[in-house]
């Protein structure tokens, strides 16, 4: 029997890398469902190539895409919008859901996959930042398996004892002697730039990551180091640890993908070429291993691996993420929402790269005075309410900047 795979976000960078691996292992995996959003020509090509049973597009595209598939003689069911994505994520025929939609748009379907007890390959870190407690408890109750695709979290997962891999609460068992986790960060394109240079950065410079090829949003997040901030929050939820047990270290070569420090002085890590096909292949085959097509590391040619302390003044977003994690769910949701709005405004050339951190800080301040902020947030509805208010606050901050 082949594993039936649904890829939510199939037209993106993670989706493309996943399909590349699946194509090499047709004896093990079948593509059951795919989703796309704006790149519908690409989605159509994928439908021709992989012949999924179901495909999800935006609601307004359902009729036209159905006709297009029918005209090409393809019998594929088309579903639409968030309802369609959730339906696929919880489809009884699906074994594994690759959660690779970018941003909050991926939240509901990832949660639906957790509630349906699926094996989830989690790339969509924003979902965990917004709804960490809800997602982890849904996964526990429905016996879902959450496997981290994000390279740092995948490296940590691989460096943890098996008993912790299977039950994250075991991380607190003193017999396993886990002192703390280390997330590595490349520093992105502005590692060696000063603040002024970052302030003047163009969109093209900001999305040109030195080591990784990724979608636009995560590339901008890497340039501001908000990505590491989101990953810090993601790691707290995935590995059930407070933020002070998770350190960040700059490692410009992106060869060591993260580390686990043990009380006896051992530090275990996972190394590899900076290519997302390694963590994706690891998750697809876990606990076995499969070929990923990734270029092997030539250890003889690796002359230098550097480790540096992050500059929290220059990369204020990382500092804000720590503060948000200490403050609680409302702050994590607000920071994520504000950042999505601000990144979008930067990509549309409405604000400067360095404005993103300022807007995020303003929104966190504004949201902290909200009377409901202190309440525990334990439903999707509450999360979406906070998300909506933070988006409004971010938009107001952007409008004020544009008026200056
Ligand atoms: P991309 O921008 O390349 O792809 C995003 C995917 O989401 C596309 O399939 C896109 O469809 C779809 N999408 C976008 N907006 C919507 C929406 N409103 N509704 C439904 N679908 C939507 O992003 P990446 O592949 O780079 O990243 C995906 C996720 O994985 C992110 O959360 C990112 O942080 C995470 N991640 C990515 C890494 C990477 O190396 N790329 C590494 C680690 C984590 P379409 O293209 O058709 O519009
Ligand atoms: Mg990462």
């Amino acid at each position: 029997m082949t594993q039936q795979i649904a890829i939510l976000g199939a037209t993106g960078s993670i989706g493309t890398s996943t399909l590349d691996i699946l194509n090499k292992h047709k004896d093990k995996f079948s593509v059951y469902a795919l989703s796309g959003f704006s790149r519908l020509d690409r989605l159509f090509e994928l439908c021709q190539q992989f012949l999924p049973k179901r495909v999800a597009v935006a609601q307004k595209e359902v009729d036209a895409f159905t006709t297009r598939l029918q005209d090409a003689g393809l019998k594929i069911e088309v579903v639409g919008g968030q309802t369609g994505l959730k339906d696929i994520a919880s489809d009884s025929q699906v074994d594994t859901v690759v959660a690779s939609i970018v941003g909050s748009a991926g939240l509901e379907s990832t949660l639906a996959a957790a509630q349906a007890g699926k094996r989830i390959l989690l790339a969509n870190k924003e979902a965990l930042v917004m709804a960490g407690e809800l997602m982890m408890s849904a996964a526990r109750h429905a016996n879902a398996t959450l496997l981290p695709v994000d390279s740092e979290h995948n490296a940590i997962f691989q460096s943890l004892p098996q008993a912790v891999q299977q039950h994250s609460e075991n991380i607190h068992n003193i017999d396993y002697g886990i002192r703390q986790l280390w997330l590595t960060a490349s520093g992105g394109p502005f590692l060696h730039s000063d603040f002024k240079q970052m302030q003047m950065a163009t969109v093209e410079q900001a999305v040109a990551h030195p080591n990784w090829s990724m979608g636009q949003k995560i590339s901008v997040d890497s340039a501001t180091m908000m990505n590491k901030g989101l990953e810090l929050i993601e790691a707290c939820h995935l590995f059930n640890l407070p933020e002070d047990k998770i350190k960040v270290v700059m490692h410009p070569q992106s060869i060591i993908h993260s580390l686990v420090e043990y009380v006896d002085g051992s530090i275990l890590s996972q190394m590899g070429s900076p290519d997302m096909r390694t963590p994706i292949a690891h998750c697809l085959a876990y606990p076995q291993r499969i070929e990923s097509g990734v270029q092997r590391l030539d250890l003889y040619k690796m002359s230098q691996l550097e480790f540096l302390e992050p500059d929290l003044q220059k990369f204020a977003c990382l500092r804000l993420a720590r503060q948000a994690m200490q403050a609680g769910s409302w702050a994590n949701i607000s920071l994520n929402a504000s950042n999505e709005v601000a990144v979008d405004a930067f990509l549309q050339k409405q604000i400067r790269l360095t404005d993103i951190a300022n807007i995020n800080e303003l929104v966190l301040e504004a949201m902290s005075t909200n009377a409901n902020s202190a309440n525990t947030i334990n439903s999707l509805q509450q999360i979406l309410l906070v998300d909506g208010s933070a988006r409004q606050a971010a938009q107001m901050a952007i409008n004020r900047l544009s008026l200056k």
Side-chain angles (χ1 to χ4, degrees):
M1 278 284 281
T2 55
Q3 222 187 102
Q4 300 291 319
I5 315 277
I7 307 178
L8 305 182
T11 45
S13 165
I14 294 288
T16 303
S17 295
T18 307
L19 285 164
D20 183 67
I21 300 167
L22 298 183
N23 213 15
K24 294 184 175 62
H25 299 283
K26 294 193 179 116
D27 55 324
K28 293 189 171 65
F29 308 103
S30 301
V31 176
Y32 179 81
L34 299 172
S35 90
F37 189 65
S38 61
R39 286 174 273 193
L40 293 183
D41 290 344
R42 169 88 184 127
L43 186 65
F44 180 73
E45 282 166 23
L46 294 178
C47 287
Q48 286 180 308
Q49 187 184 352
F50 291 96
L51 301 174
K53 300 276 184 298
R54 309 184 76 189
V55 62
V57 295
Q59 189 59 51
K60 65 178 178 9
E61 305 288 352
V62 172
D63 291 344
F65 204 70
T66 306
T67 309
R68 191 168 173 189
L69 291 174
Q70 278 169 354
D71 289 351
L74 297 172
K75 281 209 193 88
I76 300 173
E77 184 201 354
V78 184
V79 293
Q82 287 294 333
T83 312
L85 289 169
K86 283 190 284 184
D87 195 32
I88 285 180
S90 53
D91 187 317
S92 61
Q93 300 296 308
V94 169
D95 302 307
T96 297
V97 173
V98 182
S100 56
I101 290 176
V102 61
S104 55
L107 170 61
E108 292 188 46
S109 50
T110 310
L111 189 57
Q115 286 161 341
K118 302 296 183 193
R119 181 181 170 103
I120 303 169
L121 272 54
L122 185 77
N124 177 219
K125 64 191 82 183
E126 295 91 346
L128 214 51
V129 170
M130 294 173 79
E133 278 108 32
L134 197 61
M135 192 85 72
M136 297 307 287
S137 88
R140 259 193 313 277
H141 282 115
N143 218 5
T145 307
L146 214 52
L147 296 167
V149 165
D150 211 349
S151 58
E152 296 77 3
H153 307 72
N154 184 268
I156 288 171
F157 184 87
Q158 293 200 45
S159 308
L160 286 169
Q162 207 176 29
V164 179
Q165 290 180 354
Q166 280 154 8
H167 297 283
S168 61
E169 60 274 14
N170 285 348
I171 203 161
H172 300 288
N173 183 334
I174 56 169
D175 291 342
Y176 296 122
I178 294 159
R179 177 170 281 151
Q180 60 183 7
L181 310 181
W182 288 92
L183 289 172
T184 53
S186 70
F190 305 117
L191 174 64
H192 299 296
S193 312
D194 60 24
F195 185 78
K196 193 92 204 142
Q197 288 165 317
M198 261 180 91
Q199 205 172 29
M200 303 314 289
T202 63
V203 169
E204 292 68 27
Q205 287 166 337
V207 300
H209 197 282
N211 306 340
W212 299 93
S213 146
M214 311 181 284
Q216 284 212 310
K217 194 245 169 193
I218 183 174
S219 298
V220 175
D221 284 347
S222 299
T224 60
M225 279 193 77
M226 185 69 237
N227 184 47
K228 212 50 55 183
L230 296 175
E231 290 183 354
L232 172 75
I233 300 169
E234 181 187 14
C236 292
H237 290 304
L238 271 177
F239 303 117
N240 194 15
L241 285 175
E243 56 79 30
D244 62 357
K245 289 276 181 197
I246 303 172
K247 298 278 183 291
V248 173
V249 61
M250 312 302 289
H251 167 48
Q253 291 79 18
S254 299
I255 295 294
I256 292 186
H257 296 303
S258 280
L259 317 92
V260 179
E261 182 179 340
Y262 292 85
V263 290
D264 62 2
S266 301
I267 297 186
L268 301 194
S269 69
Q270 181 259 1
M271 300 168 67
S273 299
D275 185 325
M276 286 308 292
R277 288 177 302 172
T278 295
I280 296 168
H282 170 260
C283 293
L284 279 169
Y286 179 79
Q288 295 166 357
R289 299 268 178 180
I290 52 171
E291 289 276 349
S292 63
V294 169
Q295 189 176 18
R296 291 168 58 196
L297 269 188
D298 185 344
L299 293 173
Y300 290 141
K301 290 206 177 119
M302 238 178 343
S303 56
Q304 204 181 18
L305 295 178
E306 293 168 288
F307 300 96
L308 315 156
E309 206 173 328
D311 177 347
L312 294 184
Q313 206 114 43
K314 189 165 101 182
F315 296 115
C317 286
L318 180 56
R319 171 176 58 78
L320 293 177
R322 252 189 217 289
Q323 283 172 11
M325 191 62 215
Q326 285 165 358
S329 319
W330 67 267
N332 292 341
I333 302 164
S334 304
L335 180 60
N336 178 69
S338 167
N339 184 61
E340 279 191 35
V341 174
V343 169
D344 207 39
F346 170 70
L347 287 171
Q348 313 224 9
K349 306 191 175 167
Q350 292 165 4
I351 59 169
R352 292 179 296 197
L353 183 72
T354 46
D355 291 333
I356 296 175
N358 297 336
I359 290 163
N360 290 347
E361 186 146 28
L362 284 172
V363 170
L364 277 179
E365 269 166 32
M367 294 296 290
S368 71
T369 56
N370 186 331
N372 293 326
S373 296
N375 295 343
T376 34
I377 295 166
N378 49 20
S379 73
L380 182 61
Q381 205 185 5
Q382 286 170 311
I383 291 171
L384 295 178
L385 267 175
V386 177
D387 175 86
S389 314
R391 278 171 199 274
Q392 270 180 10
Q395 197 52 59
M396 275 161 57
I398 291 167
N399 295 346
R400 276 200 300 274
L401 271 179
S402 330
L403 290 176
K404 276 187 190 160

